[in-house]
């Protein structure tokens, strides 16, 4: 089972890359490529986009926060398929910047996924999963404002990506790590963004 999850994150990047055609890609293209049941994969991809060099696209942190917020609300309420409003699914991203971001992410993801395996799997199910989901929900409400603090939005997105990776690979250890970091992010952002 651990072997099956070894390339899960890279496979998700491959799927996203396959969706890239033309000069721009829409959010709807990404959803269609990854599947409307794959909440964790969509959360991973969009949070990684906000962590990668593609985050240089103006407003991308706010858009990603909105998408993750909607995904998490649906997960909390147990919805089986993804729904996103039209004004979000029609949003376009530069294919060139997205492909650059995918290329940038491959090496660190390839390194990380070597250590991931199915463990403590009860933590990726209810009721345990609700606590990190609610913390992510709260974090996404502040992410649009993080654009004024350099790299803070990327840090928040990276923590969300860790959680999504834990869900995808059924790695409860990674879920615990993301939970600790979710609790720490507001403190770190406050210290480096507003103190001193």
């Amino acid at each position: 089972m651990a072997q099956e999850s070894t390339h899960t994150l890279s496979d998700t990047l491959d799927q996203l890359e396959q969706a890239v055609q033309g000069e721009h890609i829409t959010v709807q293209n990404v959803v269609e490529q990854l599947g409307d049941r794959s909440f964790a994969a969509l959360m991973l991809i969009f949070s990684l986009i906000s962590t990668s060099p593609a985050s240089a696209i103006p407003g991308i942190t706010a858009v990603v926060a909105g998408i993750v917020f909607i995904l998490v609300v649906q997960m909390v309420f147990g919805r089986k398929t993804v729904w996103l409003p039209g004004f979000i699914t029609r949003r376009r991203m530069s294919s060139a910047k997205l492909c650059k971001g995918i290329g940038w992410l491959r090496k660190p993801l390839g390194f990380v996924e070597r250590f991931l395996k199915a463990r403590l799997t009860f933590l990726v199910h209810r009721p345990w999963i609700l606590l990190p989901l609610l913390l992510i929900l709260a974090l996404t409400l502040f992410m649009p404002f993080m654009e004024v603090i350099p790299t803070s939005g990327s840090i928040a997105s990276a923590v969300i990506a860790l959680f999504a990776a834990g869900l995808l690979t059924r790695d409860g250890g990674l879920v615990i790590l993301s939970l600790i970091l979710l609790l720490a992010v507001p403190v770190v952002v406050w210290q480096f963004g507003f103190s001193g």
Side-chain angles (χ1 to χ4, degrees):
M1 191 166 192
Q3 188 61 35
E4 288 178 7
S5 69
T6 303
H7 301 291
T8 301
L9 307 185
S10 296
D11 289 346
T12 304
L13 284 186
D14 291 341
Q15 284 183 273
L16 178 60
E17 203 164 41
Q18 289 166 17
V20 178
Q21 295 178 354
E23 292 184 8
H24 295 91
I25 180 172
T26 65
V27 170
Q28 182 62 34
N29 296 146
V30 176
V31 173
E32 289 172 355
Q33 186 66 33
L34 296 179
D36 64 1
R37 289 178 175 270
S38 196
F39 286 91
L42 288 168
M43 189 188 300
L44 175 69
I45 285 300
F46 286 112
S47 55
L48 284 176
I49 287 171
S50 185
T51 306
S52 76
S55 64
I57 302 170
I60 195 69
T61 299
V63 171
V64 166
I67 291 171
V68 172
F69 178 87
I70 294 169
L71 290 174
V72 171
V73 167
Q74 293 174 75
M75 292 170 74
V76 168
F77 285 99
R79 187 177 169 89
K80 300 299 182 186
T81 57
V82 172
W83 173 85
L84 292 172
F87 73 91
I88 286 181
T89 58
R90 289 190 293 270
R91 286 292 300 239
R92 300 191 308 167
M93 297 173 279
S94 163
S95 294
K97 286 184 178 178
L98 183 60
C99 287
K100 182 181 178 182
I102 292 171
W104 181 85
L105 288 165
R106 283 196 180 277
K107 192 167 184 178
L109 276 188
F111 175 77
V112 167
E113 66 187 353
R114 289 187 300 175
F115 303 99
L116 304 183
K117 61 182 180 181
R119 60 187 148 194
L120 303 173
T121 54
F122 68 93
L123 290 171
V124 301
H125 298 289
R126 292 171 179 266
W128 310 102
I129 204 67
L130 290 175
L131 178 56
L133 285 176
L134 292 174
L135 288 173
I136 289 171
L137 207 58
L139 182 59
T140 57
L141 294 175
F142 292 97
M143 281 175 65
F145 305 103
M146 290 181 180
E147 293 205 24
V148 300
I149 305 171
T151 73
S152 63
S154 293
I155 292 170
S157 296
V159 174
I160 294 171
L162 278 178
F163 170 77
L167 277 188
L168 268 179
T169 58
R170 297 174 55 77
D171 190 333
L174 194 56
V175 170
I176 291 173
L177 175 61
S178 67
L179 179 59
I180 294 168
L181 294 174
L182 280 166
L183 292 168
V185 164
V187 177
V188 172
V189 171
W190 179 265
Q191 282 294 111
F192 289 95
F194 296 103
S195 298

mmCIF file of all heavy atoms in Angstrom, residues 83-125:
data_model
loop_
_atom_site.group_PDB
_atom_site.id
_atom_site.type_symbol
_atom_site.label_atom_id
_atom_site.label_comp_id
_atom_site.label_asym_id
_atom_site.label_seq_id
_atom_site.Cartn_x
_atom_site.Cartn_y
_atom_site.Cartn_z
ATOM 1 N N TRP A 83 -18.212 21.470 -6.316
ATOM 2 C CA TRP A 83 -18.934 22.542 -6.986
ATOM 3 C C TRP A 83 -18.182 23.837 -6.759
ATOM 4 O O TRP A 83 -17.766 24.144 -5.636
ATOM 5 C CB TRP A 83 -20.357 22.694 -6.425
ATOM 6 C CG TRP A 83 -21.055 23.903 -6.979
ATOM 7 C CD1 TRP A 83 -21.741 23.991 -8.147
ATOM 8 C CD2 TRP A 83 -21.081 25.219 -6.396
ATOM 9 N NE1 TRP A 83 -22.202 25.271 -8.339
ATOM 10 C CE2 TRP A 83 -21.809 26.056 -7.284
ATOM 11 C CE3 TRP A 83 -20.560 25.772 -5.225
ATOM 12 C CZ2 TRP A 83 -22.034 27.401 -7.025
ATOM 13 C CZ3 TRP A 83 -20.765 27.118 -4.966
ATOM 14 C CH2 TRP A 83 -21.504 27.914 -5.859
ATOM 15 N N LEU A 84 -17.962 24.584 -7.836
ATOM 16 C CA LEU A 84 -17.350 25.901 -7.750
ATOM 17 C C LEU A 84 -18.198 26.871 -8.563
ATOM 18 O O LEU A 84 -18.689 26.506 -9.640
ATOM 19 C CB LEU A 84 -15.915 25.886 -8.300
ATOM 20 C CG LEU A 84 -14.868 25.100 -7.502
ATOM 21 C CD1 LEU A 84 -13.568 25.015 -8.287
ATOM 22 C CD2 LEU A 84 -14.617 25.753 -6.146
ATOM 23 N N PRO A 85 -18.379 28.094 -8.075
ATOM 24 C CA PRO A 85 -19.188 29.067 -8.817
ATOM 25 C C PRO A 85 -18.543 29.462 -10.137
ATOM 26 O O PRO A 85 -17.307 29.402 -10.283
ATOM 27 C CB PRO A 85 -19.274 30.259 -7.853
ATOM 28 C CG PRO A 85 -18.118 30.116 -6.935
ATOM 29 C CD PRO A 85 -17.866 28.636 -6.808
ATOM 30 N N GLY A 86 -19.359 29.877 -11.082
ATOM 31 C CA GLY A 86 -18.889 30.205 -12.426
ATOM 32 C C GLY A 86 -17.834 31.290 -12.471
ATOM 33 O O GLY A 86 -16.902 31.223 -13.280
ATOM 34 N N PHE A 87 -17.942 32.299 -11.591
ATOM 35 C CA PHE A 87 -16.956 33.386 -11.644
ATOM 36 C C PHE A 87 -15.566 32.895 -11.248
ATOM 37 O O PHE A 87 -14.561 33.522 -11.591
ATOM 38 C CB PHE A 87 -17.392 34.580 -10.781
ATOM 39 C CG PHE A 87 -17.276 34.374 -9.292
ATOM 40 C CD1 PHE A 87 -16.117 34.714 -8.615
ATOM 41 C CD2 PHE A 87 -18.338 33.839 -8.563
ATOM 42 C CE1 PHE A 87 -16.012 34.527 -7.241
ATOM 43 C CE2 PHE A 87 -18.237 33.662 -7.191
ATOM 44 C CZ PHE A 87 -17.074 33.998 -6.528
ATOM 45 N N ILE A 88 -15.505 31.749 -10.545
ATOM 46 C CA ILE A 88 -14.208 31.154 -10.217
ATOM 47 C C ILE A 88 -13.762 30.201 -11.317
ATOM 48 O O ILE A 88 -12.612 30.227 -11.747
ATOM 49 C CB ILE A 88 -14.251 30.430 -8.854
ATOM 50 C CG1 ILE A 88 -14.277 31.464 -7.724
ATOM 51 C CG2 ILE A 88 -13.042 29.495 -8.686
ATOM 52 C CD1 ILE A 88 -14.288 30.874 -6.335
ATOM 53 N N THR A 89 -14.672 29.341 -11.803
ATOM 54 C CA THR A 89 -14.281 28.360 -12.824
ATOM 55 C C THR A 89 -13.860 29.026 -14.129
ATOM 56 O O THR A 89 -13.108 28.443 -14.913
ATOM 57 C CB THR A 89 -15.420 27.361 -13.103
ATOM 58 O OG1 THR A 89 -16.594 28.082 -13.520
ATOM 59 C CG2 THR A 89 -15.733 26.523 -11.887
ATOM 60 N N ARG A 90 -14.312 30.263 -14.358
ATOM 61 C CA ARG A 90 -13.934 30.973 -15.592
ATOM 62 C C ARG A 90 -12.602 31.712 -15.458
ATOM 63 O O ARG A 90 -12.075 32.223 -16.445
ATOM 64 C CB ARG A 90 -15.033 31.969 -15.986
ATOM 65 C CG ARG A 90 -16.302 31.309 -16.485
ATOM 66 C CD ARG A 90 -17.258 32.330 -17.082
ATOM 67 N NE ARG A 90 -17.789 33.239 -16.077
ATOM 68 C CZ ARG A 90 -18.897 33.036 -15.382
ATOM 69 N NH1 ARG A 90 -19.603 31.931 -15.594
ATOM 70 N NH2 ARG A 90 -19.319 33.907 -14.476
ATOM 71 N N ARG A 91 -12.055 31.782 -14.251
ATOM 72 C CA ARG A 91 -10.768 32.473 -14.054
ATOM 73 C C ARG A 91 -9.672 31.783 -14.862
ATOM 74 O O ARG A 91 -9.571 30.558 -14.886
ATOM 75 C CB ARG A 91 -10.372 32.472 -12.568
ATOM 76 C CG ARG A 91 -11.145 33.416 -11.698
ATOM 77 C CD ARG A 91 -10.861 34.863 -11.999
ATOM 78 N NE ARG A 91 -9.467 35.222 -11.809
ATOM 79 C CZ ARG A 91 -9.046 36.148 -10.974
ATOM 80 N NH1 ARG A 91 -9.896 36.814 -10.228
ATOM 81 N NH2 ARG A 91 -7.767 36.427 -10.877
ATOM 82 N N ARG A 92 -8.833 32.578 -15.505
ATOM 83 C CA ARG A 92 -7.776 32.027 -16.343
ATOM 84 C C ARG A 92 -6.400 32.306 -15.743
ATOM 85 O O ARG A 92 -6.196 33.321 -15.088
ATOM 86 C CB ARG A 92 -7.841 32.632 -17.750
ATOM 87 C CG ARG A 92 -9.156 32.346 -18.451
ATOM 88 C CD ARG A 92 -9.099 32.712 -19.919
ATOM 89 N NE ARG A 92 -8.639 34.075 -20.153
ATOM 90 C CZ ARG A 92 -8.279 34.541 -21.354
ATOM 91 N NH1 ARG A 92 -8.319 33.753 -22.400
ATOM 92 N NH2 ARG A 92 -7.883 35.785 -21.490
ATOM 93 N N MET A 93 -5.490 31.370 -16.001
ATOM 94 C CA MET A 93 -4.097 31.526 -15.579
ATOM 95 C C MET A 93 -3.211 31.371 -16.797
ATOM 96 O O MET A 93 -3.559 30.657 -17.744
ATOM 97 C CB MET A 93 -3.721 30.454 -14.550
ATOM 98 C CG MET A 93 -4.493 30.511 -13.259
ATOM 99 S SD MET A 93 -4.142 29.087 -12.193
ATOM 100 C CE MET A 93 -5.203 27.846 -12.939
ATOM 101 N N SER A 94 -2.078 32.013 -16.769
ATOM 102 C CA SER A 94 -1.109 31.877 -17.854
ATOM 103 C C SER A 94 -0.554 30.455 -17.879
ATOM 104 O O SER A 94 -0.038 29.962 -16.872
ATOM 105 C CB SER A 94 0.028 32.876 -17.655
ATOM 106 O OG SER A 94 1.144 32.516 -18.436
ATOM 107 N N SER A 95 -0.665 29.787 -19.021
ATOM 108 C CA SER A 95 -0.141 28.423 -19.149
ATOM 109 C C SER A 95 1.367 28.392 -18.938
ATOM 110 O O SER A 95 1.905 27.470 -18.322
ATOM 111 C CB SER A 95 -0.487 27.849 -20.534
ATOM 112 O OG SER A 95 -1.873 27.681 -20.662
ATOM 113 N N ALA A 96 2.062 29.414 -19.456
ATOM 114 C CA ALA A 96 3.523 29.450 -19.336
ATOM 115 C C ALA A 96 3.940 29.536 -17.867
ATOM 116 O O ALA A 96 4.831 28.810 -17.417
ATOM 117 C CB ALA A 96 4.084 30.627 -20.120
ATOM 118 N N LYS A 97 3.285 30.430 -17.104
ATOM 119 C CA LYS A 97 3.635 30.575 -15.694
ATOM 120 C C LYS A 97 3.258 29.320 -14.910
ATOM 121 O O LYS A 97 3.972 28.912 -13.997
ATOM 122 C CB LYS A 97 2.930 31.802 -15.107
ATOM 123 C CG LYS A 97 3.543 33.109 -15.557
ATOM 124 C CD LYS A 97 2.893 34.298 -14.887
ATOM 125 C CE LYS A 97 3.553 35.595 -15.325
ATOM 126 N NZ LYS A 97 2.912 36.781 -14.738
ATOM 127 N N LEU A 98 2.124 28.718 -15.282
ATOM 128 C CA LEU A 98 1.704 27.505 -14.591
ATOM 129 C C LEU A 98 2.694 26.367 -14.846
ATOM 130 O O LEU A 98 3.086 25.657 -13.913
ATOM 131 C CB LEU A 98 0.302 27.097 -15.043
ATOM 132 C CG LEU A 98 -0.293 25.879 -14.339
ATOM 133 C CD1 LEU A 98 -0.416 26.118 -12.843
ATOM 134 C CD2 LEU A 98 -1.668 25.539 -14.925
ATOM 135 N N CYS A 99 3.115 26.197 -16.100
ATOM 136 C CA CYS A 99 4.089 25.137 -16.424
ATOM 137 C C CYS A 99 5.427 25.380 -15.733
ATOM 138 O O CYS A 99 6.089 24.440 -15.289
ATOM 139 C CB CYS A 99 4.275 25.043 -17.935
ATOM 140 S SG CYS A 99 2.869 24.291 -18.781
ATOM 141 N N LYS A 100 5.804 26.657 -15.622
ATOM 142 C CA LYS A 100 7.036 26.985 -14.889
ATOM 143 C C LYS A 100 6.892 26.581 -13.426
ATOM 144 O O LYS A 100 7.816 26.015 -12.824
ATOM 145 C CB LYS A 100 7.311 28.490 -15.000
ATOM 146 C CG LYS A 100 8.590 28.930 -14.304
ATOM 147 C CD LYS A 100 8.802 30.426 -14.430
ATOM 148 C CE LYS A 100 10.053 30.873 -13.687
ATOM 149 N NZ LYS A 100 10.244 32.339 -13.759
ATOM 150 N N GLY A 101 5.718 26.857 -12.859
ATOM 151 C CA GLY A 101 5.455 26.470 -11.472
ATOM 152 C C GLY A 101 5.488 24.965 -11.284
ATOM 153 O O GLY A 101 6.033 24.456 -10.307
ATOM 154 N N ILE A 102 4.889 24.221 -12.237
ATOM 155 C CA ILE A 102 4.880 22.758 -12.164
ATOM 156 C C ILE A 102 6.310 22.225 -12.193
ATOM 157 O O ILE A 102 6.681 21.344 -11.400
ATOM 158 C CB ILE A 102 4.050 22.158 -13.316
ATOM 159 C CG1 ILE A 102 2.566 22.490 -13.129
ATOM 160 C CG2 ILE A 102 4.248 20.642 -13.396
ATOM 161 C CD1 ILE A 102 1.695 22.120 -14.323
ATOM 162 N N GLY A 103 7.119 22.757 -13.103
ATOM 163 C CA GLY A 103 8.510 22.324 -13.198
ATOM 164 C C GLY A 103 9.277 22.595 -11.918
ATOM 165 O O GLY A 103 10.073 21.763 -11.456
ATOM 166 N N TRP A 104 9.022 23.753 -11.321
ATOM 167 C CA TRP A 104 9.683 24.140 -10.070
ATOM 168 C C TRP A 104 9.292 23.211 -8.923
ATOM 169 O O TRP A 104 10.096 22.927 -8.030
ATOM 170 C CB TRP A 104 9.304 25.589 -9.762
ATOM 171 C CG TRP A 104 9.926 26.151 -8.523
ATOM 172 C CD1 TRP A 104 11.156 26.724 -8.401
ATOM 173 C CD2 TRP A 104 9.331 26.221 -7.218
ATOM 174 N NE1 TRP A 104 11.367 27.143 -7.101
ATOM 175 C CE2 TRP A 104 10.265 26.853 -6.352
ATOM 176 C CE3 TRP A 104 8.096 25.818 -6.698
ATOM 177 C CZ2 TRP A 104 10.006 27.076 -5.012
ATOM 178 C CZ3 TRP A 104 7.828 26.045 -5.356
ATOM 179 C CH2 TRP A 104 8.775 26.665 -4.525
ATOM 180 N N LEU A 105 8.046 22.718 -8.946
ATOM 181 C CA LEU A 105 7.538 21.894 -7.845
ATOM 182 C C LEU A 105 7.974 20.427 -7.924
ATOM 183 O O LEU A 105 7.967 19.730 -6.922
ATOM 184 C CB LEU A 105 6.002 21.934 -7.838
ATOM 185 C CG LEU A 105 5.367 23.247 -7.370
ATOM 186 C CD1 LEU A 105 3.893 23.283 -7.756
ATOM 187 C CD2 LEU A 105 5.532 23.415 -5.868
ATOM 188 N N ARG A 106 8.345 19.978 -9.102
ATOM 189 C CA ARG A 106 8.594 18.539 -9.276
ATOM 190 C C ARG A 106 9.692 17.999 -8.364
ATOM 191 O O ARG A 106 9.545 16.948 -7.754
ATOM 192 C CB ARG A 106 8.929 18.233 -10.736
ATOM 193 C CG ARG A 106 7.700 18.233 -11.625
ATOM 194 C CD ARG A 106 7.958 17.562 -12.957
ATOM 195 N NE ARG A 106 6.757 17.590 -13.767
ATOM 196 C CZ ARG A 106 5.761 16.722 -13.661
ATOM 197 N NH1 ARG A 106 5.826 15.762 -12.750
ATOM 198 N NH2 ARG A 106 4.702 16.803 -14.438
ATOM 199 N N LYS A 107 10.797 18.721 -8.262
ATOM 200 C CA LYS A 107 11.919 18.205 -7.465
ATOM 201 C C LYS A 107 11.574 18.123 -5.974
ATOM 202 O O LYS A 107 11.752 17.063 -5.366
ATOM 203 C CB LYS A 107 13.165 19.060 -7.696
ATOM 204 C CG LYS A 107 14.429 18.426 -7.137
ATOM 205 C CD LYS A 107 15.670 19.133 -7.645
ATOM 206 C CE LYS A 107 16.919 18.410 -7.149
ATOM 207 N NZ LYS A 107 18.156 19.047 -7.652
ATOM 208 N N PRO A 108 11.052 19.213 -5.350
ATOM 209 C CA PRO A 108 10.713 19.084 -3.928
ATOM 210 C C PRO A 108 9.609 18.067 -3.658
ATOM 211 O O PRO A 108 9.675 17.334 -2.665
ATOM 212 C CB PRO A 108 10.267 20.501 -3.527
ATOM 213 C CG PRO A 108 10.053 21.239 -4.799
ATOM 214 C CD PRO A 108 10.907 20.598 -5.828
ATOM 215 N N LEU A 109 8.627 17.970 -4.553
ATOM 216 C CA LEU A 109 7.565 16.978 -4.343
ATOM 217 C C LEU A 109 8.111 15.566 -4.488
ATOM 218 O O LEU A 109 7.725 14.661 -3.745
ATOM 219 C CB LEU A 109 6.416 17.191 -5.333
ATOM 220 C CG LEU A 109 5.365 18.235 -4.970
ATOM 221 C CD1 LEU A 109 4.203 18.173 -5.942
ATOM 222 C CD2 LEU A 109 4.862 18.066 -3.560
ATOM 223 N N GLY A 110 8.994 15.375 -5.462
ATOM 224 C CA GLY A 110 9.605 14.059 -5.657
ATOM 225 C C GLY A 110 10.391 13.627 -4.426
ATOM 226 O O GLY A 110 10.392 12.450 -4.055
ATOM 227 N N PHE A 111 11.056 14.601 -3.795
ATOM 228 C CA PHE A 111 11.815 14.302 -2.577
ATOM 229 C C PHE A 111 10.875 13.946 -1.429
ATOM 230 O O PHE A 111 11.054 12.946 -0.737
ATOM 231 C CB PHE A 111 12.685 15.500 -2.203
ATOM 232 C CG PHE A 111 13.411 15.335 -0.905
ATOM 233 C CD1 PHE A 111 14.545 14.546 -0.823
ATOM 234 C CD2 PHE A 111 12.940 15.950 0.258
ATOM 235 C CE1 PHE A 111 15.220 14.385 0.379
ATOM 236 C CE2 PHE A 111 13.602 15.794 1.461
ATOM 237 C CZ PHE A 111 14.750 15.008 1.527
ATOM 238 N N VAL A 112 9.842 14.767 -1.231
ATOM 239 C CA VAL A 112 8.924 14.581 -0.108
ATOM 240 C C VAL A 112 8.166 13.265 -0.199
ATOM 241 O O VAL A 112 8.022 12.546 0.796
ATOM 242 C CB VAL A 112 7.917 15.762 -0.033
ATOM 243 C CG1 VAL A 112 6.767 15.453 0.914
ATOM 244 C CG2 VAL A 112 8.632 17.027 0.403
ATOM 245 N N GLU A 113 7.699 12.925 -1.405
ATOM 246 C CA GLU A 113 6.836 11.751 -1.495
ATOM 247 C C GLU A 113 7.570 10.434 -1.233
ATOM 248 O O GLU A 113 6.934 9.416 -0.972
ATOM 249 C CB GLU A 113 6.094 11.711 -2.834
ATOM 250 C CG GLU A 113 6.955 11.519 -4.039
ATOM 251 C CD GLU A 113 6.158 11.673 -5.337
ATOM 252 O OE1 GLU A 113 4.921 11.806 -5.276
ATOM 253 O OE2 GLU A 113 6.782 11.663 -6.412
ATOM 254 N N ARG A 114 8.891 10.468 -1.219
ATOM 255 C CA ARG A 114 9.639 9.255 -0.872
ATOM 256 C C ARG A 114 9.422 8.852 0.576
ATOM 257 O O ARG A 114 9.607 7.692 0.944
ATOM 258 C CB ARG A 114 11.140 9.470 -1.111
ATOM 259 C CG ARG A 114 11.533 9.538 -2.574
ATOM 260 C CD ARG A 114 13.026 9.568 -2.744
ATOM 261 N NE ARG A 114 13.632 10.719 -2.085
ATOM 262 C CZ ARG A 114 14.942 10.931 -2.000
ATOM 263 N NH1 ARG A 114 15.789 10.044 -2.491
ATOM 264 N NH2 ARG A 114 15.419 12.004 -1.398
ATOM 265 N N PHE A 115 9.040 9.825 1.410
ATOM 266 C CA PHE A 115 8.866 9.553 2.841
ATOM 267 C C PHE A 115 7.407 9.329 3.226
ATOM 268 O O PHE A 115 7.111 9.036 4.385
ATOM 269 C CB PHE A 115 9.436 10.723 3.659
ATOM 270 C CG PHE A 115 10.879 11.002 3.370
ATOM 271 C CD1 PHE A 115 11.241 12.025 2.503
ATOM 272 C CD2 PHE A 115 11.881 10.225 3.940
ATOM 273 C CE1 PHE A 115 12.581 12.278 2.222
ATOM 274 C CE2 PHE A 115 13.211 10.469 3.668
ATOM 275 C CZ PHE A 115 13.566 11.498 2.806
ATOM 276 N N LEU A 116 6.503 9.480 2.262
ATOM 277 C CA LEU A 116 5.080 9.365 2.578
ATOM 278 C C LEU A 116 4.586 7.945 2.404
ATOM 279 O O LEU A 116 4.994 7.235 1.489
ATOM 280 C CB LEU A 116 4.267 10.309 1.675
ATOM 281 C CG LEU A 116 4.665 11.785 1.720
ATOM 282 C CD1 LEU A 116 3.739 12.604 0.832
ATOM 283 C CD2 LEU A 116 4.640 12.311 3.149
ATOM 284 N N LYS A 117 3.706 7.529 3.302
ATOM 285 C CA LYS A 117 3.092 6.208 3.206
ATOM 286 C C LYS A 117 1.812 6.212 4.036
ATOM 287 O O LYS A 117 1.595 7.102 4.874
ATOM 288 C CB LYS A 117 4.035 5.127 3.706
ATOM 289 C CG LYS A 117 4.438 5.278 5.169
ATOM 290 C CD LYS A 117 5.415 4.184 5.583
ATOM 291 C CE LYS A 117 5.822 4.331 7.041
ATOM 292 N NZ LYS A 117 6.788 3.301 7.442
ATOM 293 N N ALA A 118 0.955 5.251 3.793
ATOM 294 C CA ALA A 118 -0.291 5.143 4.559
ATOM 295 C C ALA A 118 0.046 4.763 5.998
ATOM 296 O O ALA A 118 0.662 3.730 6.255
ATOM 297 C CB ALA A 118 -1.200 4.096 3.925
ATOM 298 N N ARG A 119 -0.313 5.619 6.946
ATOM 299 C CA ARG A 119 -0.093 5.355 8.375
ATOM 300 C C ARG A 119 -1.069 6.223 9.164
ATOM 301 O O ARG A 119 -1.470 7.287 8.702
ATOM 302 C CB ARG A 119 1.350 5.650 8.776
ATOM 303 C CG ARG A 119 1.781 7.074 8.541
ATOM 304 C CD ARG A 119 3.259 7.268 8.793
ATOM 305 N NE ARG A 119 3.784 8.287 7.905
ATOM 306 C CZ ARG A 119 5.059 8.500 7.690
ATOM 307 N NH1 ARG A 119 5.966 7.760 8.294
ATOM 308 N NH2 ARG A 119 5.462 9.439 6.867
ATOM 309 N N LEU A 120 -1.407 5.767 10.351
ATOM 310 C CA LEU A 120 -2.371 6.496 11.185
ATOM 311 C C LEU A 120 -3.573 6.944 10.354
ATOM 312 O O LEU A 120 -4.033 8.078 10.444
ATOM 313 C CB LEU A 120 -1.701 7.717 11.833
ATOM 314 C CG LEU A 120 -0.463 7.451 12.700
ATOM 315 C CD1 LEU A 120 0.184 8.771 13.120
ATOM 316 C CD2 LEU A 120 -0.831 6.631 13.924
ATOM 317 N N THR A 121 -4.075 6.019 9.534
ATOM 318 C CA THR A 121 -5.097 6.383 8.546
ATOM 319 C C THR A 121 -6.418 6.839 9.168
ATOM 320 O O THR A 121 -7.206 7.503 8.499
ATOM 321 C CB THR A 121 -5.365 5.217 7.577
ATOM 322 O OG1 THR A 121 -5.700 4.045 8.332
ATOM 323 C CG2 THR A 121 -4.137 4.922 6.723
ATOM 324 N N PHE A 122 -6.651 6.517 10.444
ATOM 325 C CA PHE A 122 -7.886 6.980 11.092
ATOM 326 C C PHE A 122 -7.939 8.506 11.126
ATOM 327 O O PHE A 122 -9.025 9.092 11.197
ATOM 328 C CB PHE A 122 -8.012 6.396 12.509
ATOM 329 C CG PHE A 122 -7.001 6.916 13.492
ATOM 330 C CD1 PHE A 122 -7.295 8.010 14.293
ATOM 331 C CD2 PHE A 122 -5.752 6.301 13.613
ATOM 332 C CE1 PHE A 122 -6.366 8.497 15.206
ATOM 333 C CE2 PHE A 122 -4.824 6.788 14.519
ATOM 334 C CZ PHE A 122 -5.126 7.889 15.325
ATOM 335 N N LEU A 123 -6.770 9.156 11.054
ATOM 336 C CA LEU A 123 -6.715 10.619 11.115
ATOM 337 C C LEU A 123 -7.199 11.296 9.837
ATOM 338 O O LEU A 123 -7.426 12.507 9.831
ATOM 339 C CB LEU A 123 -5.289 11.081 11.426
ATOM 340 C CG LEU A 123 -4.791 10.777 12.843
ATOM 341 C CD1 LEU A 123 -3.311 11.088 12.964
ATOM 342 C CD2 LEU A 123 -5.587 11.565 13.876
ATOM 343 N N VAL A 124 -7.346 10.531 8.755
ATOM 344 C CA VAL A 124 -7.843 11.128 7.510
ATOM 345 C C VAL A 124 -9.346 10.893 7.362
ATOM 346 O O VAL A 124 -9.912 11.098 6.290
ATOM 347 C CB VAL A 124 -7.077 10.615 6.269
ATOM 348 C CG1 VAL A 124 -5.597 10.918 6.387
ATOM 349 C CG2 VAL A 124 -7.314 9.128 6.035
ATOM 350 N N HIS A 125 -9.990 10.464 8.448
ATOM 351 C CA HIS A 125 -11.434 10.238 8.444
ATOM 352 C C HIS A 125 -12.093 11.069 9.544
ATOM 353 O O HIS A 125 -11.433 11.569 10.447
ATOM 354 C CB HIS A 125 -11.746 8.745 8.653
ATOM 355 C CG HIS A 125 -11.196 7.872 7.570
ATOM 356 N ND1 HIS A 125 -11.702 7.853 6.295
ATOM 357 C CD2 HIS A 125 -10.153 6.994 7.571
ATOM 358 C CE1 HIS A 125 -11.016 6.999 5.557
ATOM 359 N NE2 HIS A 125 -10.063 6.465 6.310
#
